[in-house]
Amino acid sequence: GIEKIINEKRRQDSERRLKKSEQRYRRLFEKSPVGIFKTNSSGSVEMINPHLAAILGFDSAAETIDYYNDLGEELYVNSERRKQFITRIKEEKMVNNFVYQAYDKNKNILWLEMNARIYQENENGSFLIEGFCWDITERRKNAEKIKYMGFHDKLTGLYNRAFLEEEIKRVDTQRQLPISIIMGDLNNLKLINDTYGHQTGDKLIERAAEIIELSCREEDIIARWGGDEFVVLLPQTKVKESEVVINRINEQIKEEKGELAVSISIGTAAKTDIEQDLMEVLTKAEDRMYKNKIASRKSARSSVLSAFLTSLKEKSSETEEHVQRMSKLAKRFGEKVGLSNSEQDRLYLLTQMHDIGKISVPEEILNKN
């Protein structure tokens, strides 16, 4: 009789401890700051705590359990990711830091991370899973933002120089040949900044970026190289094809109206041999861009040319008319024989400057009959 009394007391104590433990677990389950779940391998929810229900946009755990009958299709944005999870937990019995995209009740996309394990395996091959889950959407967004800012120019949204330098190394392979590079430079930016202020200058940079982006192909890599410089990397592109892109840019520039219309000087070059240094090709494109800048009437650099020509005009009025006739003839000639933009710029400069030596010749000699 005493033994029975002792055993009964032990049983009651054990029940009290179990009940107390269950109450603690229930409080932890209900009040936990992370999501707690139990699901089965076929894809339905067995149990879920209020915190995870709230993450998924539901008012109660019961509503959440009723909603998700097929996790692969209803919860996971990518159902293949669910299959990867099941395969992995089958093999390893436990999965930690598993990240996936999920739909909430309103079909908003969340980033979730979970730790899970198999806690019961059935004879038919199915199994039950339990684990913890938390919302990392804001963390992912911040990480993406930091990554974006690391590779993009803040003002224009284009890639920045650091990114492009890495891309130049990446695409510099035999398979990507020929590789063309376009370099563009916004004309008169310093003058505009000094006259109208940097806000106006920034708007001009943004507009120039828009024009270049609209004119390029989807696969072209566009970057803001410096304050007023842009570079376009064109893998598997011949110079002739890069000229087509330049012509599109120039056509858009022609449509710009007003005192602060965008003006861009452009040059291009291509790597056709794997032995060539791609950075030297970039330098060649830059050199051609500066020739285009001198030839452009809208560029401040062309004012140097204008000063020479004005001096020449003062020496001989006949020379100015002769230069203009030669320039028109050279333009028609260049277009007819299919010269590239950079070659036409050089030809234009040649016609403009071919009589420059007359500046140092006395007028009485130049004006002799």
PDB file of all heavy atoms in Angstrom, residues 76-110:
ATOM      1  N   TYR A  76       6.291  29.451 -51.625  1.00  0.00           N
ATOM      2  CA  TYR A  76       7.560  29.706 -52.305  1.00  0.00           C
ATOM      3  C   TYR A  76       7.337  30.437 -53.632  1.00  0.00           C
ATOM      4  O   TYR A  76       6.515  30.021 -54.450  1.00  0.00           O
ATOM      5  CB  TYR A  76       8.299  28.397 -52.587  1.00  0.00           C
ATOM      6  CG  TYR A  76       9.014  27.819 -51.394  1.00  0.00           C
ATOM      7  CD1 TYR A  76       8.295  27.255 -50.334  1.00  0.00           C
ATOM      8  CD2 TYR A  76      10.391  27.829 -51.304  1.00  0.00           C
ATOM      9  CE1 TYR A  76       8.941  26.719 -49.223  1.00  0.00           C
ATOM     10  CE2 TYR A  76      11.066  27.291 -50.204  1.00  0.00           C
ATOM     11  CZ  TYR A  76      10.332  26.740 -49.165  1.00  0.00           C
ATOM     12  OH  TYR A  76      10.977  26.218 -48.080  1.00  0.00           O
ATOM     13  N   VAL A  77       8.088  31.519 -53.853  1.00  0.00           N
ATOM     14  CA  VAL A  77       8.045  32.227 -55.132  1.00  0.00           C
ATOM     15  C   VAL A  77       8.606  31.321 -56.221  1.00  0.00           C
ATOM     16  O   VAL A  77       8.084  31.253 -57.336  1.00  0.00           O
ATOM     17  CB  VAL A  77       8.856  33.547 -55.060  1.00  0.00           C
ATOM     18  CG1 VAL A  77       8.969  34.206 -56.428  1.00  0.00           C
ATOM     19  CG2 VAL A  77       8.210  34.508 -54.062  1.00  0.00           C
ATOM     20  N   ASN A  78       9.675  30.605 -55.890  1.00  0.00           N
ATOM     21  CA  ASN A  78      10.279  29.644 -56.816  1.00  0.00           C
ATOM     22  C   ASN A  78      10.064  28.243 -56.259  1.00  0.00           C
ATOM     23  O   ASN A  78      10.694  27.850 -55.279  1.00  0.00           O
ATOM     24  CB  ASN A  78      11.778  29.960 -56.972  1.00  0.00           C
ATOM     25  CG  ASN A  78      12.483  29.011 -57.917  1.00  0.00           C
ATOM     26  OD1 ASN A  78      11.864  28.108 -58.483  1.00  0.00           O
ATOM     27  ND2 ASN A  78      13.784  29.193 -58.080  1.00  0.00           N
ATOM     28  N   SER A  79       9.167  27.479 -56.870  1.00  0.00           N
ATOM     29  CA  SER A  79       8.841  26.146 -56.353  1.00  0.00           C
ATOM     30  C   SER A  79      10.046  25.210 -56.378  1.00  0.00           C
ATOM     31  O   SER A  79      10.125  24.262 -55.594  1.00  0.00           O
ATOM     32  CB  SER A  79       7.686  25.533 -57.154  1.00  0.00           C
ATOM     33  OG  SER A  79       8.010  25.471 -58.527  1.00  0.00           O
ATOM     34  N   GLU A  80      11.017  25.479 -57.270  1.00  0.00           N
ATOM     35  CA  GLU A  80      12.234  24.671 -57.314  1.00  0.00           C
ATOM     36  C   GLU A  80      13.030  24.803 -56.014  1.00  0.00           C
ATOM     37  O   GLU A  80      13.705  23.877 -55.583  1.00  0.00           O
ATOM     38  CB  GLU A  80      13.110  25.097 -58.499  1.00  0.00           C
ATOM     39  CG  GLU A  80      12.612  24.634 -59.857  1.00  0.00           C
ATOM     40  CD  GLU A  80      12.508  23.121 -59.964  1.00  0.00           C
ATOM     41  OE1 GLU A  80      13.470  22.430 -59.577  1.00  0.00           O
ATOM     42  OE2 GLU A  80      11.454  22.627 -60.412  1.00  0.00           O
ATOM     43  N   ARG A  81      12.929  25.990 -55.410  1.00  0.00           N
ATOM     44  CA  ARG A  81      13.646  26.233 -54.153  1.00  0.00           C
ATOM     45  C   ARG A  81      13.089  25.329 -53.045  1.00  0.00           C
ATOM     46  O   ARG A  81      13.838  24.843 -52.208  1.00  0.00           O
ATOM     47  CB  ARG A  81      13.517  27.709 -53.765  1.00  0.00           C
ATOM     48  CG  ARG A  81      14.450  28.162 -52.666  1.00  0.00           C
ATOM     49  CD  ARG A  81      15.863  28.296 -53.137  1.00  0.00           C
ATOM     50  NE  ARG A  81      16.738  28.799 -52.071  1.00  0.00           N
ATOM     51  CZ  ARG A  81      17.879  28.235 -51.716  1.00  0.00           C
ATOM     52  NH1 ARG A  81      18.316  27.164 -52.340  1.00  0.00           N
ATOM     53  NH2 ARG A  81      18.618  28.743 -50.748  1.00  0.00           N
ATOM     54  N   ARG A  82      11.779  25.109 -53.044  1.00  0.00           N
ATOM     55  CA  ARG A  82      11.156  24.198 -52.077  1.00  0.00           C
ATOM     56  C   ARG A  82      11.683  22.778 -52.282  1.00  0.00           C
ATOM     57  O   ARG A  82      12.014  22.075 -51.317  1.00  0.00           O
ATOM     58  CB  ARG A  82       9.629  24.246 -52.244  1.00  0.00           C
ATOM     59  CG  ARG A  82       8.840  23.154 -51.529  1.00  0.00           C
ATOM     60  CD  ARG A  82       8.826  23.314 -50.041  1.00  0.00           C
ATOM     61  NE  ARG A  82       8.094  22.218 -49.392  1.00  0.00           N
ATOM     62  CZ  ARG A  82       7.981  22.056 -48.098  1.00  0.00           C
ATOM     63  NH1 ARG A  82       8.515  22.937 -47.282  1.00  0.00           N
ATOM     64  NH2 ARG A  82       7.318  21.046 -47.590  1.00  0.00           N
ATOM     65  N   LYS A  83      11.798  22.370 -53.556  1.00  0.00           N
ATOM     66  CA  LYS A  83      12.304  21.020 -53.851  1.00  0.00           C
ATOM     67  C   LYS A  83      13.745  20.867 -53.374  1.00  0.00           C
ATOM     68  O   LYS A  83      14.131  19.826 -52.848  1.00  0.00           O
ATOM     69  CB  LYS A  83      12.221  20.749 -55.360  1.00  0.00           C
ATOM     70  CG  LYS A  83      10.796  20.588 -55.881  1.00  0.00           C
ATOM     71  CD  LYS A  83      10.768  20.474 -57.391  1.00  0.00           C
ATOM     72  CE  LYS A  83       9.335  20.483 -57.901  1.00  0.00           C
ATOM     73  NZ  LYS A  83       9.283  20.557 -59.384  1.00  0.00           N
ATOM     74  N   GLN A  84      14.535  21.936 -53.543  1.00  0.00           N
ATOM     75  CA  GLN A  84      15.925  21.914 -53.073  1.00  0.00           C
ATOM     76  C   GLN A  84      15.977  21.740 -51.553  1.00  0.00           C
ATOM     77  O   GLN A  84      16.820  21.000 -51.027  1.00  0.00           O
ATOM     78  CB  GLN A  84      16.634  23.206 -53.473  1.00  0.00           C
ATOM     79  CG  GLN A  84      16.912  23.333 -54.956  1.00  0.00           C
ATOM     80  CD  GLN A  84      17.335  24.750 -55.352  1.00  0.00           C
ATOM     81  OE1 GLN A  84      17.589  25.605 -54.499  1.00  0.00           O
ATOM     82  NE2 GLN A  84      17.403  25.005 -56.643  1.00  0.00           N
ATOM     83  N   PHE A  85      15.064  22.424 -50.855  1.00  0.00           N
ATOM     84  CA  PHE A  85      15.007  22.325 -49.396  1.00  0.00           C
ATOM     85  C   PHE A  85      14.677  20.904 -48.956  1.00  0.00           C
ATOM     86  O   PHE A  85      15.334  20.346 -48.066  1.00  0.00           O
ATOM     87  CB  PHE A  85      13.969  23.313 -48.860  1.00  0.00           C
ATOM     88  CG  PHE A  85      13.614  23.100 -47.409  1.00  0.00           C
ATOM     89  CD1 PHE A  85      14.523  23.386 -46.403  1.00  0.00           C
ATOM     90  CD2 PHE A  85      12.368  22.587 -47.059  1.00  0.00           C
ATOM     91  CE1 PHE A  85      14.194  23.178 -45.069  1.00  0.00           C
ATOM     92  CE2 PHE A  85      12.037  22.376 -45.727  1.00  0.00           C
ATOM     93  CZ  PHE A  85      12.955  22.673 -44.735  1.00  0.00           C
ATOM     94  N   ILE A  86      13.660  20.309 -49.579  1.00  0.00           N
ATOM     95  CA  ILE A  86      13.237  18.951 -49.216  1.00  0.00           C
ATOM     96  C   ILE A  86      14.357  17.948 -49.481  1.00  0.00           C
ATOM     97  O   ILE A  86      14.640  17.074 -48.652  1.00  0.00           O
ATOM     98  CB  ILE A  86      11.943  18.556 -49.977  1.00  0.00           C
ATOM     99  CG1 ILE A  86      10.759  19.419 -49.515  1.00  0.00           C
ATOM    100  CG2 ILE A  86      11.628  17.071 -49.823  1.00  0.00           C
ATOM    101  CD1 ILE A  86      10.365  19.234 -48.055  1.00  0.00           C
ATOM    102  N   THR A  87      15.008  18.069 -50.634  1.00  0.00           N
ATOM    103  CA  THR A  87      16.125  17.165 -50.977  1.00  0.00           C
ATOM    104  C   THR A  87      17.240  17.272 -49.942  1.00  0.00           C
ATOM    105  O   THR A  87      17.783  16.257 -49.479  1.00  0.00           O
ATOM    106  CB  THR A  87      16.682  17.507 -52.381  1.00  0.00           C
ATOM    107  OG1 THR A  87      15.624  17.412 -53.333  1.00  0.00           O
ATOM    108  CG2 THR A  87      17.814  16.574 -52.768  1.00  0.00           C
ATOM    109  N   ARG A  88      17.560  18.517 -49.579  1.00  0.00           N
ATOM    110  CA  ARG A  88      18.664  18.746 -48.646  1.00  0.00           C
ATOM    111  C   ARG A  88      18.353  18.230 -47.240  1.00  0.00           C
ATOM    112  O   ARG A  88      19.198  17.597 -46.592  1.00  0.00           O
ATOM    113  CB  ARG A  88      18.972  20.248 -48.600  1.00  0.00           C
ATOM    114  CG  ARG A  88      20.286  20.580 -47.959  1.00  0.00           C
ATOM    115  CD  ARG A  88      20.659  22.005 -48.228  1.00  0.00           C
ATOM    116  NE  ARG A  88      21.380  22.594 -47.112  1.00  0.00           N
ATOM    117  CZ  ARG A  88      21.609  23.882 -46.956  1.00  0.00           C
ATOM    118  NH1 ARG A  88      21.155  24.742 -47.849  1.00  0.00           N
ATOM    119  NH2 ARG A  88      22.279  24.335 -45.924  1.00  0.00           N
ATOM    120  N   ILE A  89      17.131  18.474 -46.777  1.00  0.00           N
ATOM    121  CA  ILE A  89      16.787  18.047 -45.410  1.00  0.00           C
ATOM    122  C   ILE A  89      16.639  16.525 -45.341  1.00  0.00           C
ATOM    123  O   ILE A  89      16.905  15.912 -44.306  1.00  0.00           O
ATOM    124  CB  ILE A  89      15.515  18.771 -44.904  1.00  0.00           C
ATOM    125  CG1 ILE A  89      15.511  18.795 -43.363  1.00  0.00           C
ATOM    126  CG2 ILE A  89      14.239  18.149 -45.462  1.00  0.00           C
ATOM    127  CD1 ILE A  89      14.518  19.760 -42.759  1.00  0.00           C
ATOM    128  N   LYS A  90      16.262  15.902 -46.453  1.00  0.00           N
ATOM    129  CA  LYS A  90      16.185  14.445 -46.537  1.00  0.00           C
ATOM    130  C   LYS A  90      17.571  13.832 -46.345  1.00  0.00           C
ATOM    131  O   LYS A  90      17.749  12.850 -45.628  1.00  0.00           O
ATOM    132  CB  LYS A  90      15.663  14.036 -47.927  1.00  0.00           C
ATOM    133  CG  LYS A  90      14.324  13.349 -47.930  1.00  0.00           C
ATOM    134  CD  LYS A  90      14.014  12.970 -49.377  1.00  0.00           C
ATOM    135  CE  LYS A  90      12.635  12.352 -49.480  1.00  0.00           C
ATOM    136  NZ  LYS A  90      12.325  12.016 -50.882  1.00  0.00           N
ATOM    137  N   GLU A  91      18.552  14.459 -47.017  1.00  0.00           N
ATOM    138  CA  GLU A  91      19.918  13.930 -46.988  1.00  0.00           C
ATOM    139  C   GLU A  91      20.625  14.230 -45.666  1.00  0.00           C
ATOM    140  O   GLU A  91      21.307  13.375 -45.111  1.00  0.00           O
ATOM    141  CB  GLU A  91      20.731  14.532 -48.142  1.00  0.00           C
ATOM    142  CG  GLU A  91      20.278  14.059 -49.512  1.00  0.00           C
ATOM    143  CD  GLU A  91      20.949  14.827 -50.647  1.00  0.00           C
ATOM    144  OE1 GLU A  91      21.704  15.788 -50.352  1.00  0.00           O
ATOM    145  OE2 GLU A  91      20.722  14.477 -51.822  1.00  0.00           O
ATOM    146  N   GLU A  92      20.441  15.457 -45.161  1.00  0.00           N
ATOM    147  CA  GLU A  92      21.235  15.908 -44.012  1.00  0.00           C
ATOM    148  C   GLU A  92      20.461  15.874 -42.686  1.00  0.00           C
ATOM    149  O   GLU A  92      21.057  16.085 -41.619  1.00  0.00           O
ATOM    150  CB  GLU A  92      21.748  17.336 -44.272  1.00  0.00           C
ATOM    151  CG  GLU A  92      22.619  17.428 -45.522  1.00  0.00           C
ATOM    152  CD  GLU A  92      22.983  18.866 -45.887  1.00  0.00           C
ATOM    153  OE1 GLU A  92      22.859  19.754 -45.004  1.00  0.00           O
ATOM    154  OE2 GLU A  92      23.385  19.104 -47.035  1.00  0.00           O
ATOM    155  N   LYS A  93      19.146  15.689 -42.775  1.00  0.00           N
ATOM    156  CA  LYS A  93      18.259  15.651 -41.596  1.00  0.00           C
ATOM    157  C   LYS A  93      18.084  17.013 -40.925  1.00  0.00           C
ATOM    158  O   LYS A  93      17.193  17.199 -40.101  1.00  0.00           O
ATOM    159  CB  LYS A  93      18.746  14.646 -40.534  1.00  0.00           C
ATOM    160  CG  LYS A  93      19.001  13.255 -41.049  1.00  0.00           C
ATOM    161  CD  LYS A  93      17.771  12.619 -41.673  1.00  0.00           C
ATOM    162  CE  LYS A  93      18.054  11.230 -42.201  1.00  0.00           C
ATOM    163  NZ  LYS A  93      16.924  10.695 -42.975  1.00  0.00           N
ATOM    164  N   MET A  94      18.953  17.965 -41.253  1.00  0.00           N
ATOM    165  CA  MET A  94      18.889  19.300 -40.657  1.00  0.00           C
ATOM    166  C   MET A  94      19.401  20.317 -41.668  1.00  0.00           C
ATOM    167  O   MET A  94      20.346  20.055 -42.400  1.00  0.00           O
ATOM    168  CB  MET A  94      19.737  19.344 -39.390  1.00  0.00           C
ATOM    169  CG  MET A  94      19.695  20.681 -38.667  1.00  0.00           C
ATOM    170  SD  MET A  94      20.688  20.654 -37.163  1.00  0.00           S
ATOM    171  CE  MET A  94      19.659  19.674 -36.085  1.00  0.00           C
ATOM    172  N   VAL A  95      18.740  21.501 -41.728  1.00  0.00           N
ATOM    173  CA  VAL A  95      19.158  22.571 -42.633  1.00  0.00           C
ATOM    174  C   VAL A  95      19.215  23.873 -41.840  1.00  0.00           C
ATOM    175  O   VAL A  95      18.260  24.222 -41.138  1.00  0.00           O
ATOM    176  CB  VAL A  95      18.175  22.731 -43.817  1.00  0.00           C
ATOM    177  CG1 VAL A  95      18.522  23.953 -44.641  1.00  0.00           C
ATOM    178  CG2 VAL A  95      18.192  21.485 -44.695  1.00  0.00           C
ATOM    179  N   ASN A  96      20.332  24.586 -41.952  1.00  0.00           N
ATOM    180  CA  ASN A  96      20.476  25.875 -41.273  1.00  0.00           C
ATOM    181  C   ASN A  96      20.641  27.017 -42.270  1.00  0.00           C
ATOM    182  O   ASN A  96      21.232  26.836 -43.334  1.00  0.00           O
ATOM    183  CB  ASN A  96      21.690  25.852 -40.339  1.00  0.00           C
ATOM    184  CG  ASN A  96      21.457  24.978 -39.125  1.00  0.00           C
ATOM    185  OD1 ASN A  96      20.346  24.927 -38.600  1.00  0.00           O
ATOM    186  ND2 ASN A  96      22.482  24.279 -38.698  1.00  0.00           N
ATOM    187  N   ASN A  97      20.101  28.191 -41.894  1.00  0.00           N
ATOM    188  CA  ASN A  97      20.251  29.424 -42.693  1.00  0.00           C
ATOM    189  C   ASN A  97      19.822  29.242 -44.139  1.00  0.00           C
ATOM    190  O   ASN A  97      20.491  29.704 -45.062  1.00  0.00           O
ATOM    191  CB  ASN A  97      21.707  29.922 -42.636  1.00  0.00           C
ATOM    192  CG  ASN A  97      22.213  30.054 -41.219  1.00  0.00           C
ATOM    193  OD1 ASN A  97      23.155  29.369 -40.832  1.00  0.00           O
ATOM    194  ND2 ASN A  97      21.592  30.917 -40.430  1.00  0.00           N
ATOM    195  N   PHE A  98      18.690  28.583 -44.324  1.00  0.00           N
ATOM    196  CA  PHE A  98      18.136  28.372 -45.673  1.00  0.00           C
ATOM    197  C   PHE A  98      17.311  29.619 -46.043  1.00  0.00           C
ATOM    198  O   PHE A  98      16.341  29.963 -45.370  1.00  0.00           O
ATOM    199  CB  PHE A  98      17.252  27.127 -45.707  1.00  0.00           C
ATOM    200  CG  PHE A  98      16.800  26.748 -47.091  1.00  0.00           C
ATOM    201  CD1 PHE A  98      17.607  25.981 -47.918  1.00  0.00           C
ATOM    202  CD2 PHE A  98      15.565  27.179 -47.571  1.00  0.00           C
ATOM    203  CE1 PHE A  98      17.186  25.631 -49.196  1.00  0.00           C
ATOM    204  CE2 PHE A  98      15.146  26.840 -48.851  1.00  0.00           C
ATOM    205  CZ  PHE A  98      15.957  26.056 -49.663  1.00  0.00           C
ATOM    206  N   VAL A  99      17.726  30.310 -47.111  1.00  0.00           N
ATOM    207  CA  VAL A  99      17.086  31.565 -47.516  1.00  0.00           C
ATOM    208  C   VAL A  99      16.236  31.338 -48.769  1.00  0.00           C
ATOM    209  O   VAL A  99      16.681  30.680 -49.715  1.00  0.00           O
ATOM    210  CB  VAL A  99      18.160  32.652 -47.795  1.00  0.00           C
ATOM    211  CG1 VAL A  99      17.524  33.924 -48.323  1.00  0.00           C
ATOM    212  CG2 VAL A  99      18.950  32.941 -46.523  1.00  0.00           C
ATOM    213  N   TYR A 100      15.036  31.905 -48.762  1.00  0.00           N
ATOM    214  CA  TYR A 100      14.166  31.775 -49.933  1.00  0.00           C
ATOM    215  C   TYR A 100      13.184  32.956 -49.989  1.00  0.00           C
ATOM    216  O   TYR A 100      12.984  33.661 -49.001  1.00  0.00           O
ATOM    217  CB  TYR A 100      13.396  30.453 -49.895  1.00  0.00           C
ATOM    218  CG  TYR A 100      12.469  30.291 -48.713  1.00  0.00           C
ATOM    219  CD1 TYR A 100      11.096  30.505 -48.841  1.00  0.00           C
ATOM    220  CD2 TYR A 100      12.955  29.919 -47.462  1.00  0.00           C
ATOM    221  CE1 TYR A 100      10.240  30.355 -47.761  1.00  0.00           C
ATOM    222  CE2 TYR A 100      12.115  29.774 -46.375  1.00  0.00           C
ATOM    223  CZ  TYR A 100      10.752  29.992 -46.530  1.00  0.00           C
ATOM    224  OH  TYR A 100       9.906  29.859 -45.460  1.00  0.00           O
ATOM    225  N   GLN A 101      12.585  33.161 -51.161  1.00  0.00           N
ATOM    226  CA  GLN A 101      11.566  34.191 -51.337  1.00  0.00           C
ATOM    227  C   GLN A 101      10.190  33.561 -51.166  1.00  0.00           C
ATOM    228  O   GLN A 101       9.936  32.468 -51.679  1.00  0.00           O
ATOM    229  CB  GLN A 101      11.675  34.830 -52.724  1.00  0.00           C
ATOM    230  CG  GLN A 101      12.836  35.805 -52.855  1.00  0.00           C
ATOM    231  CD  GLN A 101      12.874  36.454 -54.221  1.00  0.00           C
ATOM    232  OE1 GLN A 101      13.123  35.788 -55.217  1.00  0.00           O
ATOM    233  NE2 GLN A 101      12.632  37.752 -54.283  1.00  0.00           N
ATOM    234  N   ALA A 102       9.323  34.286 -50.452  1.00  0.00           N
ATOM    235  CA  ALA A 102       8.002  33.735 -50.147  1.00  0.00           C
ATOM    236  C   ALA A 102       6.915  34.769 -50.401  1.00  0.00           C
ATOM    237  O   ALA A 102       7.143  35.977 -50.303  1.00  0.00           O
ATOM    238  CB  ALA A 102       7.955  33.284 -48.690  1.00  0.00           C
ATOM    239  N   TYR A 103       5.722  34.268 -50.727  1.00  0.00           N
ATOM    240  CA  TYR A 103       4.548  35.131 -50.862  1.00  0.00           C
ATOM    241  C   TYR A 103       3.825  35.235 -49.523  1.00  0.00           C
ATOM    242  O   TYR A 103       3.644  34.230 -48.833  1.00  0.00           O
ATOM    243  CB  TYR A 103       3.552  34.550 -51.870  1.00  0.00           C
ATOM    244  CG  TYR A 103       4.007  34.565 -53.303  1.00  0.00           C
ATOM    245  CD1 TYR A 103       4.177  33.381 -54.009  1.00  0.00           C
ATOM    246  CD2 TYR A 103       4.240  35.773 -53.965  1.00  0.00           C
ATOM    247  CE1 TYR A 103       4.584  33.386 -55.343  1.00  0.00           C
ATOM    248  CE2 TYR A 103       4.641  35.794 -55.294  1.00  0.00           C
ATOM    249  CZ  TYR A 103       4.809  34.594 -55.972  1.00  0.00           C
ATOM    250  OH  TYR A 103       5.206  34.610 -57.279  1.00  0.00           O
ATOM    251  N   ASP A 104       3.395  36.439 -49.169  1.00  0.00           N
ATOM    252  CA  ASP A 104       2.514  36.549 -48.002  1.00  0.00           C
ATOM    253  C   ASP A 104       1.066  36.470 -48.471  1.00  0.00           C
ATOM    254  O   ASP A 104       0.790  36.183 -49.648  1.00  0.00           O
ATOM    255  CB  ASP A 104       2.809  37.822 -47.200  1.00  0.00           C
ATOM    256  CG  ASP A 104       2.391  39.109 -47.928  1.00  0.00           C
ATOM    257  OD1 ASP A 104       1.810  39.031 -49.030  1.00  0.00           O
ATOM    258  OD2 ASP A 104       2.656  40.200 -47.384  1.00  0.00           O
ATOM    259  N   LYS A 105       0.148  36.731 -47.576  1.00  0.00           N
ATOM    260  CA  LYS A 105      -1.283  36.612 -47.880  1.00  0.00           C
ATOM    261  C   LYS A 105      -1.683  37.497 -49.057  1.00  0.00           C
ATOM    262  O   LYS A 105      -2.529  37.123 -49.879  1.00  0.00           O
ATOM    263  CB  LYS A 105      -2.091  36.995 -46.630  1.00  0.00           C
ATOM    264  CG  LYS A 105      -3.607  36.916 -46.813  1.00  0.00           C
ATOM    265  CD  LYS A 105      -4.300  37.396 -45.547  1.00  0.00           C
ATOM    266  CE  LYS A 105      -5.830  37.385 -45.716  1.00  0.00           C
ATOM    267  NZ  LYS A 105      -6.499  37.882 -44.484  1.00  0.00           N
ATOM    268  N   ASN A 106      -1.076  38.686 -49.164  1.00  0.00           N
ATOM    269  CA  ASN A 106      -1.431  39.655 -50.211  1.00  0.00           C
ATOM    270  C   ASN A 106      -0.532  39.568 -51.448  1.00  0.00           C
ATOM    271  O   ASN A 106      -0.506  40.476 -52.269  1.00  0.00           O
ATOM    272  CB  ASN A 106      -1.373  41.077 -49.636  1.00  0.00           C
ATOM    273  CG  ASN A 106      -2.309  41.248 -48.460  1.00  0.00           C
ATOM    274  OD1 ASN A 106      -3.475  40.890 -48.539  1.00  0.00           O
ATOM    275  ND2 ASN A 106      -1.787  41.764 -47.354  1.00  0.00           N
ATOM    276  N   LYS A 107       0.222  38.440 -51.541  1.00  0.00           N
ATOM    277  CA  LYS A 107       1.122  38.194 -52.678  1.00  0.00           C
ATOM    278  C   LYS A 107       2.298  39.178 -52.735  1.00  0.00           C
ATOM    279  O   LYS A 107       2.887  39.369 -53.796  1.00  0.00           O
ATOM    280  CB  LYS A 107       0.351  38.204 -54.007  1.00  0.00           C
ATOM    281  CG  LYS A 107      -0.592  37.013 -54.178  1.00  0.00           C
ATOM    282  CD  LYS A 107       0.195  35.711 -54.216  1.00  0.00           C
ATOM    283  CE  LYS A 107      -0.737  34.490 -54.340  1.00  0.00           C
ATOM    284  NZ  LYS A 107       0.005  33.215 -54.224  1.00  0.00           N
ATOM    285  N   ASN A 108       2.599  39.820 -51.611  1.00  0.00           N
ATOM    286  CA  ASN A 108       3.848  40.582 -51.528  1.00  0.00           C
ATOM    287  C   ASN A 108       4.993  39.581 -51.387  1.00  0.00           C
ATOM    288  O   ASN A 108       4.825  38.518 -50.772  1.00  0.00           O
ATOM    289  CB  ASN A 108       3.839  41.512 -50.314  1.00  0.00           C
ATOM    290  CG  ASN A 108       2.740  42.554 -50.411  1.00  0.00           C
ATOM    291  OD1 ASN A 108       2.560  43.170 -51.448  1.00  0.00           O
ATOM    292  ND2 ASN A 108       2.003  42.729 -49.319  1.00  0.00           N
ATOM    293  N   ILE A 109       6.145  39.917 -51.938  1.00  0.00           N
ATOM    294  CA  ILE A 109       7.285  38.992 -51.875  1.00  0.00           C
ATOM    295  C   ILE A 109       8.173  39.341 -50.680  1.00  0.00           C
ATOM    296  O   ILE A 109       8.600  40.484 -50.524  1.00  0.00           O
ATOM    297  CB  ILE A 109       8.088  39.017 -53.190  1.00  0.00           C
ATOM    298  CG1 ILE A 109       7.236  38.484 -54.338  1.00  0.00           C
ATOM    299  CG2 ILE A 109       9.366  38.195 -53.055  1.00  0.00           C
ATOM    300  CD1 ILE A 109       7.896  38.547 -55.694  1.00  0.00           C
ATOM    301  N   LEU A 110       8.427  38.351 -49.845  1.00  0.00           N
ATOM    302  CA  LEU A 110       9.293  38.499 -48.670  1.00  0.00           C
ATOM    303  C   LEU A 110      10.542  37.651 -48.856  1.00  0.00           C
ATOM    304  O   LEU A 110      10.538  36.672 -49.609  1.00  0.00           O
ATOM    305  CB  LEU A 110       8.559  38.009 -47.411  1.00  0.00           C
ATOM    306  CG  LEU A 110       7.181  38.573 -47.098  1.00  0.00           C
ATOM    307  CD1 LEU A 110       6.578  37.810 -45.923  1.00  0.00           C
ATOM    308  CD2 LEU A 110       7.261  40.059 -46.771  1.00  0.00           C
TER     309      LEU A 110
END
